[in-house]
Amino acid sequence: MARVKIDNYAYANVPRLGFVGWLRWIWRQVTSMRVALILLILLALASIPGSVLPQWPQDAANTQGFIDENPFWGPLLDRLGFLDVFGSAWFTAIYLLLFASLIGCIIPRCLVYWRELRAPVPPAPTRLDRYEPVTASAPQGARVVMRNAEFALSPEVSPRSGERGGRQSRRLVHRPRLWRWFADYLIRVDERERRGDDADSELALSAHKGHVRELGNLIFHVSLVAILIAMATGSMLTYRGQALIVVGDTFTNAVVAYDSYESGALFSEDQLEPWTLTLDDFEAEFDLVGLPTEFTAYATLTEPGQEPRQVETQVNRPIQVEGAKIYLQGNGYAPVFTITDADGNVAFEGAVPFLPQDDVYTSTGVIKVPDVTSGEQLGFTATLLPTAVVDGDTAQSLHPSPANPVIYLQAYTGDLGLDDGVPQNVYELDESQLSPVRGDDGQPLVVEMQLGDTIELPDGLGTVTWEELPRFAAFDLRRDPTLPWLLGSAIAALVGLSMSLFAPRRRIWLVAPLKPHAGRKTTVVEAAAWAPAHDTAVREELERVLVAATGRLTEAAPTPEER
Amino acid sequence: MNAQELSWLALWGAVALYAIAMVASSIHLARVADAKVAAKTRAKAAVAAGGVADERPAPASALRAGSEPEVRVRSRAAGIAKSTTLVGAILNGIGVVARGIEAGHAPWSTMYEYTITGTFVAVVVFLIVQSRRDVSYLAPGVTGFATIALGIGMTVLYEASTGLRPALQSFWLVVHVSIAIIATGVLIVGAVATVLQLMRDYRDSGTAWLQRFRWIEAVPEPAKLEALAFRLHAVGFVLWTFTVMAGAVWAEHSWGRYWGWDPKEVWSFVIWVIYAAYLHARTTQGWAGRRSAVLALIGFVALIMNFTVVNIFFQGMHTYA
Ligand code: HEM
């Protein structure tokens, strides 16, 4: 015999279990309410580090910084999964166990429910004592009392249909609508022998409702499983990419055109539709203090085999294309430069996206010029101030609009490091093999440029011309064919939850002797009700039914205040 | 007087009235407690004297069997509490609406705006429940919370209104945020009921430091409070579920992903899971009662954390406020 803990405080001696017995025991534990509860609590606890510590998927730069700053804790936490909590083995284990528990829990409950739905209403208990019964006396006979009670419980039951016998058939005749049958009381009335009284028979009414509550609960839990399945399927069928388009440029939907691209295991790249998107214009509006009020991108979308069409998108209004959505994610400036090298040949020409660093669009960018005719490669780091105000030695931008755009440029010569085959970040200059171009004073040279300026680099290195200042828009593209399913499951979960929490589960019983006591003119009805503890209104309902059944409440009626 | 001044004055008025309501309702609660203790002592004395106190089943309570004597106390304090709470709520409402007019959009985009709206909702939820049944024992907790929250809002959190950022200009702002605030308001009242339930429960079972607080006698038995708290939590939980879902829809619309484990999303999820655990615990052997109540309170703490600590200290996409 083994001692097994069966409750918080109790132990039981149980026979030793065989292998199958153990499996069954484990399964029973996993699907028990207590384990489900503990798993829920664990799930909540396990999520918290995901908001406190930096996470790889959300913010890789910050996470790397955290690891570098904490040489002991950083790598340790990383190895234990704390820097990618929601992808970690332990988090996955918790929610998979929870869902195993959930499935193991709802399947039997669905079966029980199915049986319950078709089972007849059980008769009223022979003794109501356990349910705090109340009594009332009525001047009518028991049959009239019961018919009134039925009518009060369910107005769909016609009070005129008199016969008593075939309860089942009458329920079908008078309550044909499925939802009513579901939501209302199911009623039966039995004529049965009476115990411990001088009357020899009695009428016992038994009214049940509660199918909606349990149905809602099952819908809710099943929908949770559906949500999980939809999310898992979605992550396999999805693809998403980010692309940055300068005004006037055209983007073609292909993996190479994206700045970043990722897709689920079941999505292959040749499923991408080759549509094109031309960014015709981008409008950014700001208020006086520089807070953004509206961003609008105007574009031309050309889908294969279709006429090009004009589309317009704002931050909350994605463009729909071929089952995917294109979101406007960010924007900024992409100054256009022409750069000539020492030999006077054009070595670079084009727009360079600058990334905004703050609310006034102080933006930084990098120009890499690998293709010089002779000599060393050129590199530049630059800062753009859209509305520059110079105050002595410092300059800053006052507003995100390009009222007085100024670029501060710093030049480097050397090896850009592009030939190593390691993909480089286009927004960063690898300075390890570069040296800054110095001015006459020997300090690294910083050049100020206005729109349209051409500057000469020292030592005859070449020239830089700032031609134009167009804007760019950053787009995020995403396809996830399971979204409608996800939404559907979520709505079902919400509906199920509301049904489960707000639909009442009630039992009401009325019992009255068929032949009154010798010499008495009134029928004494005994009534009781049962509902979950939070449902305090069931007593009021019982009262209402009793009043309707007997025509009055013999006991002093409570004042409204006492309710 | 412009809308900004009106909002400001009305809200300070509401703070003052809530404070008065808190004091008055506490006084009332103490009276009720005295009366209840007196009634209990009388009943005990009658039993001790050997007299059969009252064998006839009390007819009025026949349909509402309760183990405690019903005590009715009328006090001036109760009247003051009622009227100040009501007027306070009206002023609070005026303050919110005037702020909305001043800002030119629904006033739900900064912590200050959440706070003034959230306290309003909590007090209104209390008034609604109060109009159905006597829950004056919740009044000190609710008005006390409202006084403090609104006071902090007016002094610490105040920010001049601004236009809305493009990312916030959406129908979903109205849906998602308003339901979140309403859920919070309901859960605040639920938490007050749960705190009282636990205090009463522990006092009844002899916890020493609670014996000093005689006013606890004025609140109903733990089982009744649990029933009330459950109904509030149930409503709050459904609203919170909706909030999370609407948030996901909105995130899908504007960020291109419905769920990204941003700190705010993590905490909304944590809150949801804790309250789900509470709902399960209520029906789990060994957990129903005290432990489930504690879970509900942990959920509430998480809710407040989500609004305060997470907003202020955690970087995420939600840091507009
Ligand atoms: C993903 C995990 C789960 C979540 C989020 C969840 C959520 C919920 C919620 C919110 C309720 C409240 C409805 C109500 O009180 O009527 C509920 C009820 C219920 N859950 Fe779950 N549940 C989960 C897993 C489970 C599991 C694994 C089981 C079985 C062991 C289970 C069994 C039940 C039962 C029996 C009820 C009805 C309680 C009652 O009202 O009597 N749930 N669940």
Side-chain angles (χ1 to χ4, degrees), chain A residues 451-516:
Chain A
L451 187 54
D453 282 358
T454 299
I455 53 150
E456 296 235 356
L457 297 171
D459 310 330
L461 286 169
T463 63
V464 179
T465 310
W466 178 11
E467 314 269 3
E468 278 178 81
L469 187 60
R471 290 181 194 266
F472 72 80
F475 292 98
D476 209 343
L477 186 138
R478 169 119 187 225
R479 186 192 91 126
D480 184 347
T482 55
L483 286 182
W485 294 95
L486 189 62
L487 185 65
S489 321
I491 292 173
L494 194 65
V495 171
L497 181 66
S498 308
M499 284 161 65
S500 155
L501 288 172
F502 303 134
R505 184 157 99 228
R506 289 176 178 171
R507 316 256 173 277
I508 285 184
W509 303 287
L510 268 71
V511 180
L514 253 182
K515 294 203 194 75

Side-chain angles (χ1 to χ4, degrees), chain B residues 5 8 15 39 48 78 108 154 157 163 168 176-177 199 208 216 234 263 313 315:
Chain B
E5 287 160 359
W8 189 249
V15 175
W108 300 321
M154 304 293 293
L157 302 176
L168 289 177
H176 170 70
V177 181
M199 292 181 87
I216 299 176
F313 296 108
Q315 277 303 315

Side-chain angles (χ1 to χ4, degrees), chain A residues 31 36 101-102 105 109 217 220-221 224 500-501, chain B residues 237 272 280 283:
Chain A
T31 57
S101 163
L102 179 56
C105 184
R109 275 172 64 200
N217 197 294
F220 170 73
H221 285 90
L224 288 183
S500 155
L501 288 172
Chain B
F237 183 75
W272 189 81
H280 278 111
T283 53

Side-chain angles (χ1 to χ4, degrees), chain A residues 295-319:
Chain A
F295 298 130
T296 316
Y298 301 91
T300 308
L301 181 67
T302 315
E303 290 171 79
Q306 287 186 30
E307 285 292 297
R309 60 187 168 104
Q310 301 294 317
V311 290
E312 191 184 311
T313 173
Q314 294 185 329
V315 173
N316 278 314
R317 295 182 188 78
I319 306 172

